[in-house]
Amino acid sequence: MKKISAWILKALAAGLAALLLLNIWCYFYYNVPVHYTNETGATEYRWESNKFYRKGTEGFAFGRTNNEGFNNLSDYEPGQEIEILLMGSSHMEGMNTAQEDNAAAVLNRLFEGEKYTYNIGTSGHTMEYCLSNLEAALDTYEPSEYVVIETRTLSFTTGDLAALVNGELKPIESHTGGLVELLQKLPYLRLIYTKYFNDDGGDGGGAAGSEPLTENSGALDSLLSQALSTAAESCREHGAQLILVYDPTVYADREGRGYTQTESEDLERFSRCCGDSGIAFVDLTESFLNGYEQQHKLPYGFLNTSPGMGHMNSWGHELFARAVFETINELEG
């Protein structure tokens, strides 16, 4: 019995030592903060504030969240002047690129102090969630000129749009407190969970080869029009112009030619509804394809991922920022 007890103790000690070493290694490989419900409602949740993060699964990026838990180079002080509020998914959050290379940072360099962009892009926040949180974001940050919202797809379902229009989108929950939060603070366990149980790297971008759902075109038109017109009116009431930016995935065929999987009907519907609502619509398809054909660069993917797949890289962030910069200059004449 003593030998069995001694063996069990040794096994437990070895297991704990291995877990400790794995967590030390993951601290510098994949270390993501815990997220909490955002009490302002500007996003569904926010990350831990002033927290170091490291992502080596796509690219090799690291940084520190600001005092609000968002990925910005500087902290936010209540009442500070924000000309451009940037919203979107994990692609806008930009934790897979260097902090100085994400779209918000590039925009701030391009405007050279004339306009300040504050980034509240957050993983899992598809366009529907951004529009759902828009009113609270406007009240919280009071952007004086523009709200820029990124969308990875133009293909929506009547169910999601109806939930948005009726205020019934299912919240993105934050599981914190007690043992659950303690386990989330262990980088190795977070890596295992993300890799095998919660791999949402696309944030609703649409996978290659996925079959679109058959939807009622008239219902989609009506619901999308309602959702966009409500969002545009909210921005106007707060003195801001809404800009929606579509950033599609670029694929390469067997001959090496670039293409996207955007449905022409979806593009026509979205563009028309934006125009009817007074929203500036920026389609990055041409910019992304030109970048691929002329400079042989893809806007998504990293050296340690499949080519063109996964999150937006620094090249994609630069093209995104430059397109927004040019659009704002055109709007201002």
Side-chain angles (χ1 to χ4, degrees):
M1 192 66 183
K2 288 183 178 180
K3 289 184 177 181
I4 294 176
S5 298
W7 184 88
I8 292 175
L9 289 173
K10 288 180 180 180
L12 286 173
L16 289 173
L19 182 61
L20 175 62
L21 291 173
L22 286 169
N23 277 288
I24 291 174
W25 171 72
C26 274
Y27 181 84
F28 298 101
Y29 175 68
Y30 186 83
N31 183 13
V32 181
V34 177
H35 64 73
Y36 303 90
T37 299
N38 189 346
E39 62 281 355
T40 69
T43 57
E44 295 291 296
Y45 65 85
R46 60 176 181 81
W47 299 107
E48 291 176 273
S49 60
N50 302 307
K51 186 70 175 180
F52 170 81
Y53 68 82
R54 181 74 165 92
K55 286 195 173 184
T57 51
E58 294 182 58
F60 298 97
F62 65 91
R64 183 175 293 275
T65 59
N66 74 350
N67 63 323
E68 286 202 308
F70 296 118
N71 191 19
N72 290 276
L73 289 171
S74 58
D75 288 343
Y76 169 75
E77 298 300 329
Q80 80 175 77
E81 184 68 17
I82 293 174
E83 283 78 21
I84 304 170
L85 182 65
L86 179 60
M87 305 176 70
S89 65
S90 56
H91 300 281
M92 284 302 94
E93 185 176 60
M95 284 188 174
N96 297 91
T97 66
Q99 285 186 295
E100 61 271 18
D101 291 337
N102 70 31
V106 176
L107 274 168
N108 286 329
R109 287 200 298 274
L110 290 172
F111 279 111
E112 298 180 328
E114 179 186 346
K115 301 182 193 297
Y116 175 64
T117 301
Y118 187 68
N119 180 22
I120 61 170
T122 308
S123 298
H125 284 58
T126 58
M127 189 195 76
E128 295 96 311
Y129 280 102
C130 291
L131 294 181
S132 176
N133 299 132
L134 179 59
E135 188 69 32
L138 289 165
D139 289 339
T140 301
Y141 298 105
E142 300 181 331
S144 59
E145 297 185 24
Y146 301 96
V147 176
V148 178
I149 298 179
E150 170 250 359
T151 181
R152 289 280 289 117
T153 183
L154 301 181
S155 179
F156 307 99
T157 67
T158 53
D160 286 343
L161 290 177
L164 169 62
V165 169
N166 297 325
E168 298 173 349
L169 270 183
K170 183 180 178 181
I172 302 176
E173 297 181 356
S174 294
H175 303 286
T176 54
L179 181 60
V180 173
E181 183 169 341
L182 177 63
L183 293 175
Q184 289 185 70
K185 290 180 178 291
L186 298 176
Y188 180 67
L189 296 184
R190 288 293 294 277
L191 174 63
I192 294 299
Y193 177 75
T194 300
K195 184 173 179 61
Y196 294 106
F197 301 102
N198 191 38
D199 187 10
D200 64 344
D203 270 337
S210 60
E211 291 295 329
L213 297 173
T214 301
E215 293 281 352
N216 183 300
S217 180
L220 279 173
D221 275 9
S222 176
L223 288 167
L224 184 60
S225 179
Q226 288 181 65
L228 295 186
S229 62
T230 298
E233 182 60 28
S234 292
C235 287
R236 280 192 290 269
E237 289 175 355
H238 286 78
Q241 166 70 50
L242 180 57
I243 301 174
L244 294 180
V245 186
Y246 172 50
D247 47 357
T249 298
V250 174
Y251 304 95
D253 62 20
R254 292 185 176 182
E255 284 72 41
R257 294 185 295 257
Y259 70 98
T260 67
Q261 293 187 331
T262 307
E263 293 290 336
S264 58
E265 182 180 357
D266 292 335
L267 177 60
E268 187 279 328
R269 176 188 297 113
F270 196 83
S271 179
R272 171 168 40 82
C273 288
C274 282
D276 291 345
S277 301
I279 297 170
F281 172 49
V282 180
D283 180 7
L284 291 178
T285 300
E286 184 176 353
S287 174
F288 281 0
L289 289 176
N290 285 341
Y292 172 69
E293 293 169 2
Q294 296 172 11
Q295 301 196 40
H296 312 294
K297 294 180 179 180
L298 291 165
Y300 298 92
F302 302 85
L303 291 174
N304 54 349
T305 66
S306 298
M309 296 293 103
H311 284 91
M312 185 180 288
N313 54 38
S314 59
W315 173 244
H317 278 272
E318 181 178 340
L319 293 180
F320 185 104
R322 289 191 176 278
V324 172
F325 178 72
E326 291 168 4
T327 298
I328 290 176
N329 284 336
E330 289 174 6
L331 290 172
E332 297 182 353

